[in-house]
Amino acid sequence: DKEYIYNRRNIVETNGNIRFVTRLSEEYPTKLRNIPSKPKGLYVLGKLPDEKIASIAMIGARVCSEYGKRMARWFGSECGRAGVQVISGMARGIDSISQQAAVEAGGSSFAVLGCGVDVCYPREQAELYRKLQERGGIISEYEPGSPPLAQQFPARNRIISGLADALLVIEAKEKSGTSITVDMALEQG
């Protein structure tokens, strides 16, 4: 089974540090309690965003222009320096660039994954994945070991927008996962 083989190569040792936060827990994010289709619970590696601190979702194209890359670095870095938490999906392009910049600037960032929190996807983001555990967290509604399936990514976008106070689209195609997240953010208020 290709998914199983692919998943096995990307599973990361978490030393048992994954915890499950249910809707009944006081730790469950207040911001998610009122969104449509709220997750039953969240698997967390690291921390959840601090709700007393401003947070911004930075999203955009996986394949982006040099200008988009520069803007992702600039906004991520400025938010990191200002103490604004950056939330994104650790995807190639705008997401991971802005998250990396926030962490390098001394800020915190949180990745919401479309797979298990013990699956580093995309694989080339292994260094960022490790940094996020120290300078923020890795979050997913999917069980540990769950592979990155295409249908899971649009669903995870509601969590990205739901955890944030604001949404910044840096660069995106008109019809994309980014536009799905914008629609969800508008629906969430």
Side-chain angles (χ1 to χ4, degrees):
D1 184 328
K2 285 184 179 180
E3 286 179 359
Y4 177 75
I5 292 167
Y6 185 76
N7 188 29
R8 295 286 301 163
R9 286 191 203 134
N10 286 303
I11 290 182
V12 177
E13 180 58 47
T14 62
N15 299 319
N17 294 329
I18 299 171
R19 63 188 194 288
F20 185 65
V21 179
T22 71
R23 283 190 275 193
L24 301 175
S25 169
E26 287 183 21
E27 191 181 5
Y28 190 87
T30 305
K31 292 175 184 173
L32 293 183
R33 290 187 187 276
N34 301 317
I35 69 168
S37 302
K38 59 184 156 271
K40 290 179 174 71
L42 299 170
Y43 292 91
V44 181
L45 188 54
K47 300 179 287 191
L48 284 165
D50 184 335
E51 294 192 334
K52 296 179 187 103
I53 299 174
S55 59
I56 187 166
M58 287 193 198
I59 60 171
R62 286 179 172 84
V63 179
C64 53
S65 68
E66 284 305 312
Y67 176 76
K69 291 176 185 177
R70 278 196 317 274
M71 291 297 94
R73 278 188 211 100
W74 187 82
F75 279 110
S77 181
E78 289 298 307
C79 285
R81 271 196 279 284
V84 176
Q85 302 169 112
V86 174
I87 300 168
S88 201
M90 206 176 79
R92 292 176 184 97
I94 299 297
D95 291 22
S96 60
I97 293 168
S98 61
Q99 291 187 278
Q100 182 72 36
V103 169
E104 287 174 357
S108 60
S109 185
F110 301 84
V112 181
L113 303 182
C115 54
V117 294
D118 60 338
V119 178
C120 181
Y121 180 81
R123 202 177 347 210
E124 68 266 15
Q125 298 304 339
E127 182 183 337
L128 175 59
Y129 178 89
R130 282 189 295 279
K131 286 180 182 178
L132 292 177
Q133 291 175 59
E134 298 166 11
R135 304 282 315 160
I138 310 288
I139 303 162
S140 179
E141 68 181 312
Y142 303 108
E143 290 182 8
S146 296
L149 302 176
Q151 67 269 20
Q152 295 174 170
F153 288 88
R156 69 94 195 252
N157 293 349
R158 79 191 192 289
I159 300 171
I160 292 172
S161 58
L163 288 171
D165 296 313
L167 177 69
L168 174 61
V169 176
I170 294 178
E171 180 179 74
K173 294 179 182 174
E174 212 171 308
K175 300 276 187 204
S176 65
T178 301
S179 63
I180 293 169
T181 311
V182 169
D183 291 342
M184 289 177 176
L186 290 169
E187 187 178 316
Q188 294 164 352

